[in-house]
Amino acid sequence: MTAEKILEIARSQLGIKENPPNSNRVKFNTAYYGQEVSGSAYPWCCAFIWWVFREAGASGLFYGGKRTASCSTLLGFHKAQAVQGDYLPGDIIFFNFDGKKNTQHVGICEAWDGQYITTIDGNTAPTNEANGGAVMRRRRAKKYIVGAYRPAYEEDTMTQTDFDKMMDNYLERRGSKPASGWAGQLLAQARSAGITDGSRPQSFATREEVVTMILNSGSGK
């Protein structure tokens, strides 16, 4: 399982809200508890993370295949995978918003610039960071981070064959693009002079093609 796959699933849930507001009645809790629940006893930021890993078939990376809806329990379980200050996409980030060290909230890192972290969280909102009732993308200062861990993701590797195929597709698409408006007349002149046949106007030229065009232009004589 890769970090990007986890983020893809998390992003697919952006905009999901509990209904009614302030009820904690949401599909992530229903899946976690096996029935609909509501009330203040069921905050769901951690249940959202559990749901994402379950949907990815990677429950073992969340809590060793078990369940927890407690941020502090989850953080404690992953002491060996703890990271600090060098966060990567897919890291699990824990927050506190009242200046203390206890964990109030958890999200999945999407981006980190050294000062601010962007996460995808469940049960958040601009008006209530830790109990806002929606799945949202949030950007916060590093001062709110109180812990993090990095699941043992697989590397998203690309073989040489995959890379070659990707490049072939890219070059084919680039070559099919028409000439830019400003270049049309110049290409027409070059075709008339026998310098180029005018095909693939936005493709890259190989050395042999460049040499041929130079010699055809007469400047190589």
Side-chain angles (χ1 to χ4, degrees):
M1 180 53 55
T2 64
E4 183 54 37
K5 180 61 178 178
I6 292 295
L7 284 166
E8 177 184 331
I9 294 172
R11 293 182 189 115
S12 74
Q13 302 303 299
L14 288 168
I16 298 293
K17 298 180 179 180
E18 60 188 42
N19 185 32
N22 303 314
S23 66
N24 287 323
R25 182 176 174 270
V26 68
K27 72 175 191 178
F28 312 110
N29 268 345
T30 300
Y32 183 88
Y33 293 102
Q35 61 183 9
E36 284 192 356
V37 296
S38 62
S40 60
Y42 301 101
W44 53 276
C45 62
C46 196
F48 168 70
I49 307 296
W50 166 84
W51 184 92
V52 169
F53 279 87
R54 188 199 67 163
E55 289 296 296
S59 294
L61 298 182
F62 171 73
Y63 188 52
K66 301 179 292 183
R67 296 187 303 171
T68 181
S70 167
C71 296
S72 57
T73 298
L74 184 62
L75 178 59
F77 180 80
H78 288 285
K79 287 182 178 179
Q81 292 83 40
V83 292
Q84 185 174 3
D86 186 22
Y87 307 112
L88 297 176
D91 286 354
I92 307 303
I93 311 296
F94 299 86
F95 299 96
N96 179 282
F97 303 109
D98 61 13
K100 299 179 181 179
K101 296 298 182 181
N102 61 302
T103 60
Q104 295 178 317
H105 188 69
V106 62
I108 305 173
C109 176
E110 190 175 37
W112 163 250
D113 65 9
Q115 295 296 322
Y116 289 88
I117 194 158
T118 301
T119 57
I120 299 176
D121 311 352
N123 201 18
T124 189
T127 54
N128 192 332
E129 297 277 9
N131 192 25
V135 180
M136 299 185 69
R137 177 179 285 113
R138 306 289 290 127
R139 184 173 183 265
R140 304 181 178 101
K142 66 179 181 179
K143 67 180 181 180
Y144 296 115
I145 301 172
V146 294
Y149 80 88
R150 183 166 300 148
Y153 295 118
E154 298 173 1
E155 292 187 15
D156 193 2
T157 57
M158 176 180 288
T159 67
Q160 185 63 49
T161 299
D162 292 336
F163 178 78
D164 291 346
K165 184 177 180 179
M166 179 188 71
M167 286 300 299
D168 287 344
N169 290 337
Y170 167 73
L171 292 172
E172 182 178 352
R173 291 195 304 271
R174 187 181 181 97
S176 66
K177 292 181 178 181
S180 301
W182 60 268
Q185 184 176 356
L186 294 174
L187 281 171
Q189 293 174 0
R191 285 196 299 270
S192 298
I195 297 172
T196 177
D197 62 7
S199 64
R200 301 180 295 110
Q202 294 206 36
S203 286
F204 300 113
T206 64
R207 285 181 173 84
E208 58 190 2
E209 289 173 328
V210 170
V211 168
T212 299
M213 287 187 288
I214 291 174
L215 293 177
N216 284 344
S217 72
S219 60
K221 297 179 181 180

